[in-house]
Amino acid sequence: MTLYERLGGEAAVDAAVDIFYRKVLLDDRINSYFEGVDMDAQAGKQKAFLTMVFGGPNNYDGKAMREGHKHMTGLTDIHVDAVIENLGATLKELGVADADIAEVAGIANSVRDDVLNR
Amino acid sequence: MAIVNYQDCAIEIGADQSLLDALLDAGKDIPHGCRAGACQSCLVQVTEGEAPENAQSGLKETQKQQGYILACQCHPQQDIRIETDASTNSYRALVNSKHLESRDVLRLRLDGDFDYRPGQFVNLIRDDGLSRSYSLASVPELDPELEFHIRLHPDGQFSGWAGNELQTGEELEIQGPFGDCFYSVSDKVKPLLLAGIGTGLAPLYGIVRDALQQGHMGPIHLVTGARTSANLYLLKELKSLSSRYPQFSYTPVVLEAPEAVNEPIEGLTVGDLNQVIKDQFSDLSGYAVYLCGSEQRVNSLRRQAFLCGASMKEIFYDLFVPAVSTESA
């Protein structure tokens, strides 16, 4: 079974989007980056991101990831860490095993340099 | 430079011009309203050439497939041909009555018969083409007339005219209906929260009565925000609804406490609407949420409702976008 199948596929992504996005909006370390962003559009992006880090079908585009974060001034490792932490807490809440959470965090970590444009 | 072919004319579209501006500059009478891609007044159909995808945002899948676009959002790179008289349903409706509900809300009732869902909106169009979007507060199964709540803006071109000059017995053109903020809940015991600012009450009044007449049994909470109690309206109607239906409750929220109280208003709460929702509806998981009013207020209510636990897919909303004046230059 692949990671994506173990997590529960698209239904799991749908369940995770709301929880994850809510955690991000409540996290003072990063929520200022989401001020004034259209929530429906942002939820669409979160869904694509979660599908990718869950090991699901994706056309991950490092260039789009760089473009999408370029305008965010002051973005550092602390902010990426916060996102990965919220991701882990989301999965914990959904009852995902620790080993799978670590695997998801690993995939999320692999896009760090694209997000931080380095 | 792209050319738009319309009727017998070939019109050049300037580099910084939208399709709508080019058509208006050429003297074409195209209905339009918000110029922000929201009201859908300027819907036109592309019959030759490519319909730009970004001018189709918010349209129904069926409209997109037929080449419909919003002219105000369209900046064509290639030549196109358009038609305007096509599929948007339009009707003539007689003004039956006008009644001032509060110092700045006009209740307008029209004689009209077409299919719509309470909470959807239509464009009301004056004979010279001036068009504004208004939500339907009526319920077809309950009300023989179409009901609209017109907020009277001090400098409002349309509302000023509707308030001062429009007479009962005159006709208006109606285009629509549009929008997807209406009651579509299959679970009849699901709790509902409806929150509106100002005439955001209009669609919510329709949605509440639609839910009740469809036999909704779960709790239905209606909360409206206004600056002062003088800006509240429909108090009598809402009170009678809550005494008739135990599952329905209404909370008016005002920013400023009333000074002299002649008749106390039941349930009146002083405070900020967002804060009241945060305090009184701290757990909105499992709710369907309906939000109507100005863009800024609704966006902040969406965020609040979501943070209180409402699922994104269960938050329905209608943004009132102010019309951009075409007179000032």
Side-chain angles (χ1 to χ4, degrees):
Chain A
M1 237 208 256
T2 66
L3 172 67
Y4 188 60
E5 285 164 351
R6 281 201 307 281
L7 292 172
E10 196 183 343
V13 174
D14 283 337
V17 168
D18 270 4
I19 300 173
F20 175 62
Y21 189 13
R22 202 172 283 124
K23 286 190 189 300
V24 166
L25 289 180
L26 287 170
D27 188 334
D28 288 337
R29 294 172 294 179
I30 47 179
N31 56 12
S32 64
Y33 287 108
F34 295 87
E35 289 289 338
V37 169
D38 180 78
M39 289 179 68
D40 284 333
Q42 186 59 34
K45 287 179 188 163
Q46 309 263 14
K47 188 172 174 179
F49 172 70
L50 291 178
T51 304
M52 193 265 290
V53 298
F54 281 20
N58 69 86
N59 297 300
Y60 177 72
D61 182 351
K63 200 172 150 234
M65 195 58 118
R66 282 173 187 270
E67 288 296 318
H69 292 88
K70 217 164 67 179
H71 67 284
M72 300 182 185
T73 45
L75 215 55
T76 66
D77 280 307
I78 297 170
H79 304 109
V80 177
D81 291 343
V83 168
I84 296 176
E85 195 183 304
N86 285 310
L87 183 59
T90 300
L91 294 170
K92 194 94 190 156
E93 209 170 305
L94 290 169
V96 173
D98 286 346
D100 286 341
I101 295 179
E103 203 174 332
V104 169
I107 301 175
N109 209 27
S110 73
V111 306
R112 182 185 291 267
D113 286 354
D114 287 339
V115 171
L116 296 177
N117 224 342
R118 60 191 183 196
Chain B
M1 193 174 290
I3 304 280
V4 53
N5 293 290
Y6 175 54
Q7 297 166 335
D8 299 330
C9 304
I11 301 160
E12 282 189 0
I13 305 165
D16 296 328
Q17 260 188 328
S18 69
L19 174 61
L20 176 65
D21 290 332
L23 290 163
L24 293 175
D25 280 1
K28 299 296 173 192
D29 190 14
I30 307 288
H32 58 278
C34 75
R35 288 169 180 259
C39 78
Q40 305 190 355
S41 298
C42 60
L43 192 71
V44 301
Q45 187 178 20
V46 177
T47 53
E48 282 170 35
E50 196 122 324
E53 221 174 275
N54 60 358
Q56 295 187 308
S57 174
L59 298 185
K60 291 192 194 110
E61 203 48 51
T62 46
Q63 291 175 310
K64 291 181 185 174
Q65 285 172 9
Q66 296 173 85
Y68 283 96
I69 55 163
L70 301 173
C72 72
Q73 298 300 301
C74 180
H75 299 267
Q77 301 304 312
Q78 287 156 5
D79 295 359
I80 53 172
R81 170 170 290 281
I82 61 151
E83 303 289 342
T84 49
D85 52 344
S87 83
T88 308
N89 296 319
S90 104
Y91 313 85
R92 304 287 296 178
L94 218 56
V95 177
N96 275 355
S97 69
K98 279 169 58 173
H99 184 254
L100 204 58
E101 287 290 327
S102 76
R103 62 163 72 143
D104 61 355
V105 177
L106 179 74
R107 197 173 186 180
L108 181 69
R109 288 194 176 91
L110 305 182
D111 194 10
D113 184 22
F114 62 92
D115 283 336
Y116 68 92
R117 296 297 309 275
Q120 285 192 296
F121 65 94
V122 299
N123 294 320
L124 299 182
I125 306 168
R126 195 166 75 177
D127 280 343
D128 64 355
L130 184 72
S131 165
R132 293 290 182 268
S133 304
Y134 288 101
S135 296
L136 285 147
S138 46
V139 178
E141 289 83 356
L142 302 173
D143 307 310
E145 298 167 305
L146 307 172
E147 176 178 331
F148 303 94
H149 303 163
I150 314 274
R151 162 87 204 282
L152 300 172
H153 293 273
D155 304 314
Q157 259 184 295
F158 188 95
S159 67
W161 168 78
N164 296 322
E165 290 167 53
L166 180 67
Q167 302 291 328
T168 51
E170 280 186 48
E171 274 191 345
L172 274 175
E173 189 182 339
I174 292 185
Q175 206 181 52
F178 307 106
D180 57 7
C181 182
F182 51 78
Y183 178 75
S184 59
V185 176
S186 53
D187 176 6
K188 298 285 182 219
V189 294
K190 191 185 244 320
L192 311 182
L193 171 66
L194 305 94
I197 299 101
T199 48
L201 175 57
L204 300 180
Y205 184 57
I207 294 166
V208 163
R209 290 186 310 135
D210 190 24
L212 291 170
Q213 69 101 14
Q214 289 196 45
H216 194 88
M217 291 173 295
I220 304 175
H221 305 280
L222 172 66
V223 186
T224 63
R227 202 162 44 80
T228 70
S229 55
N231 301 102
L232 296 168
Y233 69 103
L234 290 190
L235 292 170
K236 221 191 304 170
E237 286 86 344
L238 292 168
K239 191 176 175 181
S240 114
L241 269 188
S242 57
S243 51
R244 196 172 147 203
Y245 296 97
Q247 70 271 48
F248 173 68
S249 67
Y250 172 53
T251 309
V253 178
V254 292
L255 275 176
E256 299 166 18
E259 287 172 13
V261 182
N262 300 329
E263 277 179 73
I265 298 167
E266 214 170 287
L268 187 73
T269 306
V270 178
D272 168 71
L273 187 58
N274 270 50
Q275 191 62 42
V276 169
I277 286 177
K278 192 176 174 183
D279 295 343
Q280 298 189 10
F281 298 93
S282 54
D283 183 6
L284 285 174
S285 53
Y287 273 69
V289 179
Y290 296 85
L291 306 169
C292 301
S294 70
E295 184 168 12
Q296 193 196 355
R297 298 297 305 276
V298 167
N299 280 336
S300 104
L301 285 170
R302 278 167 75 193
R303 185 184 165 105
Q304 187 59 59
F306 178 64
L307 291 179
C308 287
S311 160
M312 288 281 277
K313 289 196 181 103
E314 297 278 9
I315 302 176
F316 304 91
Y317 59 94
D318 190 12
L319 305 173
F320 295 1
V321 181
V324 178
S325 172
T326 52
E327 312 277 284
S328 58

